PDB file of all heavy atoms in Angstrom:
ATOM      1  N   GLU A   1     103.205  99.821 108.708  1.00 96.00           N
ATOM      2  CA  GLU A   1     104.007  98.908 107.882  1.00 96.00           C
ATOM      3  C   GLU A   1     103.454  98.783 106.494  1.00 96.00           C
ATOM      4  O   GLU A   1     102.191  98.785 106.254  1.00 96.00           O
ATOM      5  CB  GLU A   1     104.102  97.563 108.527  1.00 96.00           C
ATOM      6  CG  GLU A   1     105.041  96.632 107.755  1.00 96.00           C
ATOM      7  CD  GLU A   1     105.377  95.388 108.536  1.00 96.00           C
ATOM      8  OE1 GLU A   1     104.930  95.204 109.731  1.00 96.00           O
ATOM      9  OE2 GLU A   1     106.133  94.537 108.041  1.00 96.00           O
ATOM     10  N   LEU A   2     104.325  98.794 105.474  1.00 97.00           N
ATOM     11  CA  LEU A   2     103.936  98.575 104.121  1.00 97.00           C
ATOM     12  C   LEU A   2     104.633  97.357 103.601  1.00 97.00           C
ATOM     13  O   LEU A   2     105.831  97.257 103.606  1.00 97.00           O
ATOM     14  CB  LEU A   2     104.368  99.783 103.307  1.00 97.00           C
ATOM     15  CG  LEU A   2     104.236  99.710 101.756  1.00 97.00           C
ATOM     16  CD1 LEU A   2     102.781  99.585 101.348  1.00 97.00           C
ATOM     17  CD2 LEU A   2     104.820 100.914 101.108  1.00 97.00           C
ATOM     18  N   ARG A   3     103.839  96.428 103.121  1.00 96.00           N
ATOM     19  CA  ARG A   3     104.347  95.211 102.562  1.00 96.00           C
ATOM     20  C   ARG A   3     104.230  95.305 101.021  1.00 96.00           C
ATOM     21  O   ARG A   3     103.123  95.566 100.530  1.00 96.00           O
ATOM     22  CB  ARG A   3     103.546  93.940 103.015  1.00 96.00           C
ATOM     23  CG  ARG A   3     103.406  93.836 104.536  1.00 96.00           C
ATOM     24  CD  ARG A   3     104.760  93.237 105.122  1.00 96.00           C
ATOM     25  NE  ARG A   3     104.624  93.263 106.582  1.00 96.00           N
ATOM     26  CZ  ARG A   3     103.988  92.318 107.265  1.00 96.00           C
ATOM     27  NH1 ARG A   3     103.457  91.307 106.725  1.00 96.00           N
ATOM     28  NH2 ARG A   3     104.022  92.396 108.599  1.00 96.00           N
ATOM     29  N   VAL A   4     105.310  95.104 100.274  1.00 98.00           N
ATOM     30  CA  VAL A   4     105.246  95.238  98.887  1.00 98.00           C
ATOM     31  C   VAL A   4     105.543  93.935  98.124  1.00 98.00           C
ATOM     32  O   VAL A   4     106.517  93.273  98.447  1.00 98.00           O
ATOM     33  CB  VAL A   4     106.250  96.355  98.407  1.00 98.00           C
ATOM     34  CG1 VAL A   4     106.353  96.415  96.858  1.00 98.00           C
ATOM     35  CG2 VAL A   4     105.864  97.703  98.935  1.00 98.00           C
ATOM     36  N   SER A   5     104.660  93.585  97.236  1.00 97.00           N
ATOM     37  CA  SER A   5     104.850  92.468  96.415  1.00 97.00           C
ATOM     38  C   SER A   5     105.690  92.853  95.150  1.00 97.00           C
ATOM     39  O   SER A   5     105.228  93.735  94.400  1.00 97.00           O
ATOM     40  CB  SER A   5     103.436  91.841  95.901  1.00 97.00           C
ATOM     41  OG  SER A   5     102.657  91.560  96.966  1.00 97.00           O
ATOM     42  N   TYR A   6     106.833  92.223  95.089  1.00 98.00           N
ATOM     43  CA  TYR A   6     107.804  92.787  94.091  1.00 98.00           C
ATOM     44  C   TYR A   6     108.487  91.554  93.414  1.00 98.00           C
ATOM     45  O   TYR A   6     109.236  90.818  94.066  1.00 98.00           O
ATOM     46  CB  TYR A   6     108.843  93.621  94.817  1.00 98.00           C
ATOM     47  CG  TYR A   6     109.774  94.434  93.886  1.00 98.00           C
ATOM     48  CD1 TYR A   6     109.405  95.630  93.390  1.00 98.00           C
ATOM     49  CD2 TYR A   6     111.021  93.891  93.499  1.00 98.00           C
ATOM     50  CE1 TYR A   6     110.291  96.346  92.584  1.00 98.00           C
ATOM     51  CE2 TYR A   6     111.859  94.552  92.667  1.00 98.00           C
ATOM     52  CZ  TYR A   6     111.496  95.804  92.210  1.00 98.00           C
ATOM     53  OH  TYR A   6     112.328  96.586  91.383  1.00 98.00           O
ATOM     54  N   TYR A   7     108.197  91.299  92.166  1.00 97.00           N
ATOM     55  CA  TYR A   7     108.466  89.966  91.494  1.00 97.00           C
ATOM     56  C   TYR A   7     109.350  90.072  90.297  1.00 97.00           C
ATOM     57  O   TYR A   7     109.109  89.323  89.344  1.00 97.00           O
ATOM     58  CB  TYR A   7     107.217  89.207  91.303  1.00 97.00           C
ATOM     59  CG  TYR A   7     106.337  89.070  92.470  1.00 97.00           C
ATOM     60  CD1 TYR A   7     104.984  89.193  92.408  1.00 97.00           C
ATOM     61  CD2 TYR A   7     106.857  88.832  93.742  1.00 97.00           C
ATOM     62  CE1 TYR A   7     104.094  88.998  93.469  1.00 97.00           C
ATOM     63  CE2 TYR A   7     106.031  88.642  94.862  1.00 97.00           C
ATOM     64  CZ  TYR A   7     104.673  88.774  94.709  1.00 97.00           C
ATOM     65  OH  TYR A   7     103.809  88.616  95.804  1.00 97.00           O
ATOM     66  N   GLY A   8     110.359  90.998  90.223  1.00 97.00           N
ATOM     67  CA  GLY A   8     111.184  91.012  89.082  1.00 97.00           C
ATOM     68  C   GLY A   8     112.291  92.042  89.285  1.00 97.00           C
ATOM     69  O   GLY A   8     112.032  93.157  89.694  1.00 97.00           O
ATOM     70  N   MET A   9     113.572  91.710  89.001  1.00 98.00           N
ATOM     71  CA  MET A   9     114.633  92.646  89.139  1.00 98.00           C
ATOM     72  C   MET A   9     115.162  93.217  87.833  1.00 98.00           C
ATOM     73  O   MET A   9     116.088  93.952  87.846  1.00 98.00           O
ATOM     74  CB  MET A   9     115.792  91.983  89.919  1.00 98.00           C
ATOM     75  CG  MET A   9     115.577  91.734  91.385  1.00 98.00           C
ATOM     76  SD  MET A   9     115.250  93.318  92.324  1.00 98.00           S
ATOM     77  CE  MET A   9     116.692  94.157  92.112  1.00 98.00           C
ATOM     78  N   ARG A  10     114.532  92.734  86.780  1.00 97.00           N
ATOM     79  CA  ARG A  10     114.811  93.348  85.416  1.00 97.00           C
ATOM     80  C   ARG A  10     113.441  93.735  84.878  1.00 97.00           C
ATOM     81  O   ARG A  10     112.411  93.170  85.182  1.00 97.00           O
ATOM     82  CB  ARG A  10     115.475  92.326  84.567  1.00 97.00           C
ATOM     83  CG  ARG A  10     116.858  91.933  85.023  1.00 97.00           C
ATOM     84  CD  ARG A  10     117.422  90.757  84.188  1.00 97.00           C
ATOM     85  NE  ARG A  10     116.654  89.495  84.516  1.00 97.00           N
ATOM     86  CZ  ARG A  10     115.938  88.822  83.623  1.00 97.00           C
ATOM     87  NH1 ARG A  10     115.898  89.181  82.393  1.00 97.00           N
ATOM     88  NH2 ARG A  10     115.303  87.695  84.015  1.00 97.00           N
ATOM     89  N   LYS A  11     113.496  94.678  84.024  1.00 97.00           N
ATOM     90  CA  LYS A  11     112.263  95.211  83.354  1.00 97.00           C
ATOM     91  C   LYS A  11     111.501  94.061  82.701  1.00 97.00           C
ATOM     92  O   LYS A  11     110.316  93.866  82.838  1.00 97.00           O
ATOM     93  CB  LYS A  11     112.602  96.305  82.354  1.00 97.00           C
ATOM     94  CG  LYS A  11     111.337  97.001  81.770  1.00 97.00           C
ATOM     95  CD  LYS A  11     111.678  98.116  80.868  1.00 97.00           C
ATOM     96  CE  LYS A  11     110.458  98.812  80.299  1.00 97.00           C
ATOM     97  NZ  LYS A  11     109.636  99.493  81.348  1.00 97.00           N
ATOM     98  N   GLU A  12     112.218  93.207  82.006  1.00 97.00           N
ATOM     99  CA  GLU A  12     111.633  92.164  81.288  1.00 97.00           C
ATOM    100  C   GLU A  12     110.908  91.108  82.152  1.00 97.00           C
ATOM    101  O   GLU A  12     109.769  90.772  81.972  1.00 97.00           O
ATOM    102  CB  GLU A  12     112.705  91.355  80.455  1.00 97.00           C
ATOM    103  CG  GLU A  12     112.165  90.191  79.699  1.00 97.00           C
ATOM    104  CD  GLU A  12     113.287  89.398  79.054  1.00 97.00           C
ATOM    105  OE1 GLU A  12     114.476  89.636  79.331  1.00 97.00           O
ATOM    106  OE2 GLU A  12     112.960  88.457  78.193  1.00 97.00           O
ATOM    107  N   SER A  13     111.612  90.694  83.219  1.00 97.00           N
ATOM    108  CA  SER A  13     111.069  89.682  84.121  1.00 97.00           C
ATOM    109  C   SER A  13     109.943  90.261  84.998  1.00 97.00           C
ATOM    110  O   SER A  13     108.904  89.677  85.195  1.00 97.00           O
ATOM    111  CB  SER A  13     112.143  89.082  85.071  1.00 97.00           C
ATOM    112  OG  SER A  13     112.799  90.089  85.800  1.00 97.00           O
ATOM    113  N   TYR A  14     110.114  91.471  85.502  1.00 98.00           N
ATOM    114  CA  TYR A  14     109.089  92.161  86.291  1.00 98.00           C
ATOM    115  C   TYR A  14     107.808  92.271  85.527  1.00 98.00           C
ATOM    116  O   TYR A  14     106.774  91.961  86.041  1.00 98.00           O
ATOM    117  CB  TYR A  14     109.656  93.566  86.755  1.00 98.00           C
ATOM    118  CG  TYR A  14     108.643  94.340  87.579  1.00 98.00           C
ATOM    119  CD1 TYR A  14     108.602  94.233  88.977  1.00 98.00           C
ATOM    120  CD2 TYR A  14     107.749  95.215  86.974  1.00 98.00           C
ATOM    121  CE1 TYR A  14     107.703  94.993  89.736  1.00 98.00           C
ATOM    122  CE2 TYR A  14     106.839  95.955  87.649  1.00 98.00           C
ATOM    123  CZ  TYR A  14     106.815  95.877  89.045  1.00 98.00           C
ATOM    124  OH  TYR A  14     105.943  96.551  89.806  1.00 98.00           O
ATOM    125  N   GLU A  15     107.902  92.833  84.329  1.00 98.00           N
ATOM    126  CA  GLU A  15     106.709  93.082  83.553  1.00 98.00           C
ATOM    127  C   GLU A  15     106.040  91.801  82.950  1.00 98.00           C
ATOM    128  O   GLU A  15     104.877  91.764  82.570  1.00 98.00           O
ATOM    129  CB  GLU A  15     106.956  94.137  82.476  1.00 98.00           C
ATOM    130  CG  GLU A  15     107.254  95.466  83.174  1.00 98.00           C
ATOM    131  CD  GLU A  15     107.683  96.547  82.152  1.00 98.00           C
ATOM    132  OE1 GLU A  15     107.473  96.404  80.929  1.00 98.00           O
ATOM    133  OE2 GLU A  15     108.132  97.674  82.583  1.00 98.00           O
ATOM    134  N   ARG A  16     106.866  90.648  82.880  1.00 97.00           N
ATOM    135  CA  ARG A  16     106.305  89.396  82.526  1.00 97.00           C
ATOM    136  C   ARG A  16     105.428  88.879  83.590  1.00 97.00           C
ATOM    137  O   ARG A  16     104.450  88.154  83.357  1.00 97.00           O
ATOM    138  CB  ARG A  16     107.457  88.503  82.215  1.00 97.00           C
ATOM    139  CG  ARG A  16     107.002  87.093  81.533  1.00 97.00           C
ATOM    140  CD  ARG A  16     108.105  86.186  81.332  1.00 97.00           C
ATOM    141  NE  ARG A  16     109.275  86.795  80.655  1.00 97.00           N
ATOM    142  CZ  ARG A  16     110.533  86.620  80.966  1.00 97.00           C
ATOM    143  NH1 ARG A  16     110.852  85.831  81.967  1.00 97.00           N
ATOM    144  NH2 ARG A  16     111.452  87.210  80.279  1.00 97.00           N
ATOM    145  N   VAL A  17     105.874  89.120  84.865  1.00 97.00           N
ATOM    146  CA  VAL A  17     105.095  88.576  85.994  1.00 97.00           C
ATOM    147  C   VAL A  17     103.947  89.590  86.384  1.00 97.00           C
ATOM    148  O   VAL A  17     102.811  89.136  86.542  1.00 97.00           O
ATOM    149  CB  VAL A  17     106.046  88.313  87.262  1.00 97.00           C
ATOM    150  CG1 VAL A  17     105.199  87.954  88.433  1.00 97.00           C
ATOM    151  CG2 VAL A  17     107.015  87.279  86.991  1.00 97.00           C
ATOM    152  N   MET A  18     104.319  90.808  86.634  1.00 97.00           N
ATOM    153  CA  MET A  18     103.417  91.760  87.116  1.00 97.00           C
ATOM    154  C   MET A  18     102.830  92.582  85.953  1.00 97.00           C
ATOM    155  O   MET A  18     103.045  93.781  85.731  1.00 97.00           O
ATOM    156  CB  MET A  18     104.125  92.719  88.092  1.00 97.00           C
ATOM    157  CG  MET A  18     104.779  91.926  89.195  1.00 97.00           C
ATOM    158  SD  MET A  18     105.330  92.858  90.552  1.00 97.00           S
ATOM    159  CE  MET A  18     103.813  93.097  91.524  1.00 97.00           C
ATOM    160  N   VAL A  19     101.973  91.842  85.140  1.00 98.00           N
ATOM    161  CA  VAL A  19     101.538  92.354  83.878  1.00 98.00           C
ATOM    162  C   VAL A  19     100.674  93.631  84.090  1.00 98.00           C
ATOM    163  O   VAL A  19      99.769  93.661  84.976  1.00 98.00           O
ATOM    164  CB  VAL A  19     100.614  91.259  83.202  1.00 98.00           C
ATOM    165  CG1 VAL A  19     100.050  91.695  81.943  1.00 98.00           C
ATOM    166  CG2 VAL A  19     101.400  89.948  82.982  1.00 98.00           C
ATOM    167  N   GLY A  20     100.995  94.639  83.333  1.00 98.00           N
ATOM    168  CA  GLY A  20     100.256  95.858  83.433  1.00 98.00           C
ATOM    169  C   GLY A  20     101.040  96.940  84.186  1.00 98.00           C
ATOM    170  O   GLY A  20     100.590  98.150  84.146  1.00 98.00           O
ATOM    171  N   LEU A  21     102.086  96.535  84.916  1.00 98.00           N
ATOM    172  CA  LEU A  21     102.873  97.537  85.691  1.00 98.00           C
ATOM    173  C   LEU A  21     104.164  97.882  84.923  1.00 98.00           C
ATOM    174  O   LEU A  21     104.568  97.201  84.009  1.00 98.00           O
ATOM    175  CB  LEU A  21     103.126  96.950  87.082  1.00 98.00           C
ATOM    176  CG  LEU A  21     101.949  96.570  87.852  1.00 98.00           C
ATOM    177  CD1 LEU A  21     102.377  96.141  89.286  1.00 98.00           C
ATOM    178  CD2 LEU A  21     100.884  97.668  87.919  1.00 98.00           C
ATOM    179  N   ASN A  22     104.786  98.930  85.415  1.00 98.00           N
ATOM    180  CA  ASN A  22     105.952  99.419  84.826  1.00 98.00           C
ATOM    181  C   ASN A  22     107.194  99.284  85.895  1.00 98.00           C
ATOM    182  O   ASN A  22     107.122  99.913  86.898  1.00 98.00           O
ATOM    183  CB  ASN A  22     105.840 100.913  84.329  1.00 98.00           C
ATOM    184  CG  ASN A  22     107.083 101.388  83.624  1.00 98.00           C
ATOM    185  OD1 ASN A  22     108.115 101.607  84.233  1.00 98.00           O
ATOM    186  ND2 ASN A  22     106.877 101.748  82.398  1.00 98.00           N
ATOM    187  N   PHE A  23     108.142  98.543  85.465  1.00 98.00           N
ATOM    188  CA  PHE A  23     109.326  98.284  86.359  1.00 98.00           C
ATOM    189  C   PHE A  23     109.951  99.603  86.878  1.00 98.00           C
ATOM    190  O   PHE A  23     110.201  99.759  88.086  1.00 98.00           O
ATOM    191  CB  PHE A  23     110.317  97.433  85.736  1.00 98.00           C
ATOM    192  CG  PHE A  23     111.662  97.239  86.493  1.00 98.00           C
ATOM    193  CD1 PHE A  23     111.745  96.388  87.536  1.00 98.00           C
ATOM    194  CD2 PHE A  23     112.747  97.998  86.057  1.00 98.00           C
ATOM    195  CE1 PHE A  23     112.908  96.205  88.220  1.00 98.00           C
ATOM    196  CE2 PHE A  23     113.938  97.773  86.841  1.00 98.00           C
ATOM    197  CZ  PHE A  23     114.074  96.928  87.851  1.00 98.00           C
ATOM    198  N   ASP A  24     110.212 100.510  85.965  1.00 98.00           N
ATOM    199  CA  ASP A  24     110.922 101.741  86.315  1.00 98.00           C
ATOM    200  C   ASP A  24     110.102 102.636  87.237  1.00 98.00           C
ATOM    201  O   ASP A  24     110.652 103.257  88.196  1.00 98.00           O
ATOM    202  CB  ASP A  24     111.290 102.485  85.030  1.00 98.00           C
ATOM    203  CG  ASP A  24     112.198 101.754  84.125  1.00 98.00           C
ATOM    204  OD1 ASP A  24     113.185 101.178  84.631  1.00 98.00           O
ATOM    205  OD2 ASP A  24     111.924 101.680  82.935  1.00 98.00           O
ATOM    206  N   VAL A  25     108.822 102.626  87.045  1.00 98.00           N
ATOM    207  CA  VAL A  25     107.948 103.472  87.887  1.00 98.00           C
ATOM    208  C   VAL A  25     107.994 102.894  89.326  1.00 98.00           C
ATOM    209  O   VAL A  25     108.032 103.619  90.361  1.00 98.00           O
ATOM    210  CB  VAL A  25     106.502 103.504  87.292  1.00 98.00           C
ATOM    211  CG1 VAL A  25     105.525 104.108  88.371  1.00 98.00           C
ATOM    212  CG2 VAL A  25     106.446 104.314  86.071  1.00 98.00           C
ATOM    213  N   THR A  26     107.814 101.555  89.474  1.00 98.00           N
ATOM    214  CA  THR A  26     107.766 100.926  90.764  1.00 98.00           C
ATOM    215  C   THR A  26     109.081 101.089  91.473  1.00 98.00           C
ATOM    216  O   THR A  26     109.034 101.451  92.723  1.00 98.00           O
ATOM    217  CB  THR A  26     107.362  99.487  90.711  1.00 98.00           C
ATOM    218  OG1 THR A  26     106.111  99.353  89.995  1.00 98.00           O
ATOM    219  CG2 THR A  26     107.228  98.866  92.085  1.00 98.00           C
ATOM    220  N   MET A  27     110.245 100.884  90.821  1.00 98.00           N
ATOM    221  CA  MET A  27     111.477 101.139  91.426  1.00 98.00           C
ATOM    222  C   MET A  27     111.650 102.517  91.931  1.00 98.00           C
ATOM    223  O   MET A  27     112.097 102.778  93.031  1.00 98.00           O
ATOM    224  CB  MET A  27     112.581 100.738  90.448  1.00 98.00           C
ATOM    225  CG  MET A  27     114.008 100.921  91.022  1.00 98.00           C
ATOM    226  SD  MET A  27     114.397  99.799  92.356  1.00 98.00           S
ATOM    227  CE  MET A  27     114.859  98.277  91.418  1.00 98.00           C
ATOM    228  N   LYS A  28     111.307 103.453  91.088  1.00 98.00           N
ATOM    229  CA  LYS A  28     111.357 104.902  91.418  1.00 98.00           C
ATOM    230  C   LYS A  28     110.509 105.144  92.729  1.00 98.00           C
ATOM    231  O   LYS A  28     110.901 105.921  93.635  1.00 98.00           O
ATOM    232  CB  LYS A  28     110.906 105.756  90.344  1.00 98.00           C
ATOM    233  CG  LYS A  28     110.918 107.299  90.686  1.00 98.00           C
ATOM    234  CD  LYS A  28     110.480 108.094  89.381  1.00 98.00           C
ATOM    235  CE  LYS A  28     110.412 109.594  89.765  1.00 98.00           C
ATOM    236  NZ  LYS A  28     109.906 110.365  88.668  1.00 98.00           N
ATOM    237  N   ASN A  29     109.322 104.628  92.730  1.00 98.00           N
ATOM    238  CA  ASN A  29     108.379 104.866  93.878  1.00 98.00           C
ATOM    239  C   ASN A  29     108.988 104.342  95.141  1.00 98.00           C
ATOM    240  O   ASN A  29     108.918 104.974  96.197  1.00 98.00           O
ATOM    241  CB  ASN A  29     107.074 104.151  93.649  1.00 98.00           C
ATOM    242  CG  ASN A  29     106.233 104.899  92.589  1.00 98.00           C
ATOM    243  OD1 ASN A  29     106.528 106.024  92.224  1.00 98.00           O
ATOM    244  ND2 ASN A  29     105.205 104.271  92.145  1.00 98.00           N
ATOM    245  N   LEU A  30     109.532 103.114  95.142  1.00 98.00           N
ATOM    246  CA  LEU A  30     110.117 102.501  96.355  1.00 98.00           C
ATOM    247  C   LEU A  30     111.356 103.226  96.863  1.00 98.00           C
ATOM    248  O   LEU A  30     111.474 103.475  98.094  1.00 98.00           O
ATOM    249  CB  LEU A  30     110.426 101.062  96.087  1.00 98.00           C
ATOM    250  CG  LEU A  30     109.218 100.119  95.949  1.00 98.00           C
ATOM    251  CD1 LEU A  30     109.638  98.728  95.499  1.00 98.00           C
ATOM    252  CD2 LEU A  30     108.450 100.034  97.191  1.00 98.00           C
ATOM    253  N   LEU A  31     112.259 103.543  96.030  1.00 98.00           N
ATOM    254  CA  LEU A  31     113.493 104.328  96.420  1.00 98.00           C
ATOM    255  C   LEU A  31     113.070 105.700  96.809  1.00 98.00           C
ATOM    256  O   LEU A  31     113.601 106.246  97.817  1.00 98.00           O
ATOM    257  CB  LEU A  31     114.477 104.326  95.312  1.00 98.00           C
ATOM    258  CG  LEU A  31     115.032 103.018  94.870  1.00 98.00           C
ATOM    259  CD1 LEU A  31     115.932 103.185  93.699  1.00 98.00           C
ATOM    260  CD2 LEU A  31     115.775 102.318  96.057  1.00 98.00           C
ATOM    261  N   GLY A  32     112.043 106.283  96.235  1.00 98.00           N
ATOM    262  CA  GLY A  32     111.571 107.644  96.606  1.00 98.00           C
ATOM    263  C   GLY A  32     110.873 107.572  98.029  1.00 98.00           C
ATOM    264  O   GLY A  32     111.032 108.550  98.804  1.00 98.00           O
ATOM    265  N   PHE A  33     110.137 106.419  98.263  1.00 98.00           N
ATOM    266  CA  PHE A  33     109.526 106.329  99.545  1.00 98.00           C
ATOM    267  C   PHE A  33     110.587 106.253 100.740  1.00 98.00           C
ATOM    268  O   PHE A  33     110.412 106.922 101.719  1.00 98.00           O
ATOM    269  CB  PHE A  33     108.672 105.018  99.556  1.00 98.00           C
ATOM    270  CG  PHE A  33     108.313 104.582 100.974  1.00 98.00           C
ATOM    271  CD1 PHE A  33     107.205 105.143 101.603  1.00 98.00           C
ATOM    272  CD2 PHE A  33     109.051 103.598 101.587  1.00 98.00           C
ATOM    273  CE1 PHE A  33     106.901 104.716 102.940  1.00 98.00           C
ATOM    274  CE2 PHE A  33     108.635 103.136 102.864  1.00 98.00           C
ATOM    275  CZ  PHE A  33     107.614 103.729 103.511  1.00 98.00           C
ATOM    276  N   LEU A  34     111.625 105.496 100.514  1.00 98.00           N
ATOM    277  CA  LEU A  34     112.687 105.385 101.484  1.00 98.00           C
ATOM    278  C   LEU A  34     113.417 106.734 101.703  1.00 98.00           C
ATOM    279  O   LEU A  34     113.730 107.091 102.848  1.00 98.00           O
ATOM    280  CB  LEU A  34     113.700 104.311 101.121  1.00 98.00           C
ATOM    281  CG  LEU A  34     113.190 102.869 101.130  1.00 98.00           C
ATOM    282  CD1 LEU A  34     114.173 101.916 100.553  1.00 98.00           C
ATOM    283  CD2 LEU A  34     112.869 102.437 102.558  1.00 98.00           C
ATOM    284  N   GLU A  35     113.640 107.430 100.692  1.00 98.00           N
ATOM    285  CA  GLU A  35     114.231 108.726 100.733  1.00 98.00           C
ATOM    286  C   GLU A  35     113.351 109.712 101.427  1.00 98.00           C
ATOM    287  O   GLU A  35     113.841 110.469 102.293  1.00 98.00           O
ATOM    288  CB  GLU A  35     114.508 109.217  99.317  1.00 98.00           C
ATOM    289  CG  GLU A  35     115.165 110.622  99.246  1.00 98.00           C
ATOM    290  CD  GLU A  35     115.351 111.069  97.765  1.00 98.00           C
ATOM    291  OE1 GLU A  35     116.266 110.547  97.109  1.00 98.00           O
ATOM    292  OE2 GLU A  35     114.562 111.956  97.326  1.00 98.00           O
ATOM    293  N   LEU A  36     112.020 109.752 101.197  1.00 98.00           N
ATOM    294  CA  LEU A  36     111.095 110.686 101.862  1.00 98.00           C
ATOM    295  C   LEU A  36     110.925 110.280 103.353  1.00 98.00           C
ATOM    296  O   LEU A  36     111.006 111.168 104.200  1.00 98.00           O
ATOM    297  CB  LEU A  36     109.732 110.555 101.210  1.00 98.00           C
ATOM    298  CG  LEU A  36     108.654 111.389 101.838  1.00 98.00           C
ATOM    299  CD1 LEU A  36     108.985 112.875 101.722  1.00 98.00           C
ATOM    300  CD2 LEU A  36     107.291 111.172 101.034  1.00 98.00           C
ATOM    301  N   ARG A  37     110.963 108.985 103.704  1.00 97.00           N
ATOM    302  CA  ARG A  37     110.827 108.578 105.053  1.00 97.00           C
ATOM    303  C   ARG A  37     112.050 109.119 105.814  1.00 97.00           C
ATOM    304  O   ARG A  37     111.945 109.627 106.977  1.00 97.00           O
ATOM    305  CB  ARG A  37     110.772 107.096 105.175  1.00 97.00           C
ATOM    306  CG  ARG A  37     110.374 106.578 106.579  1.00 97.00           C
ATOM    307  CD  ARG A  37     110.328 105.003 106.568  1.00 97.00           C
ATOM    308  NE  ARG A  37     111.650 104.461 106.393  1.00 97.00           N
ATOM    309  CZ  ARG A  37     111.811 103.132 106.509  1.00 97.00           C
ATOM    310  NH1 ARG A  37     110.828 102.355 106.753  1.00 97.00           N
ATOM    311  NH2 ARG A  37     113.026 102.615 106.312  1.00 97.00           N
ATOM    312  N   ASP A  38     113.230 109.051 105.290  1.00 97.00           N
ATOM    313  CA  ASP A  38     114.460 109.563 105.895  1.00 97.00           C
ATOM    314  C   ASP A  38     114.359 111.104 106.049  1.00 97.00           C
ATOM    315  O   ASP A  38     114.705 111.662 107.073  1.00 97.00           O
ATOM    316  CB  ASP A  38     115.694 109.165 105.061  1.00 97.00           C
ATOM    317  CG  ASP A  38     116.009 107.716 105.254  1.00 97.00           C
ATOM    318  OD1 ASP A  38     115.502 107.041 106.102  1.00 97.00           O
ATOM    319  OD2 ASP A  38     116.795 107.223 104.340  1.00 97.00           O
TER     320      ASP A  38
END
């Protein structure tokens, strides 16, 4: 199991909370993970 802390649905809000991270990169990673698992 993988638990992901994910705290913004817009680039602005995500990067305001998760300082130092990139919204687009994380979204791509998560959707890519689900695709690869399938």
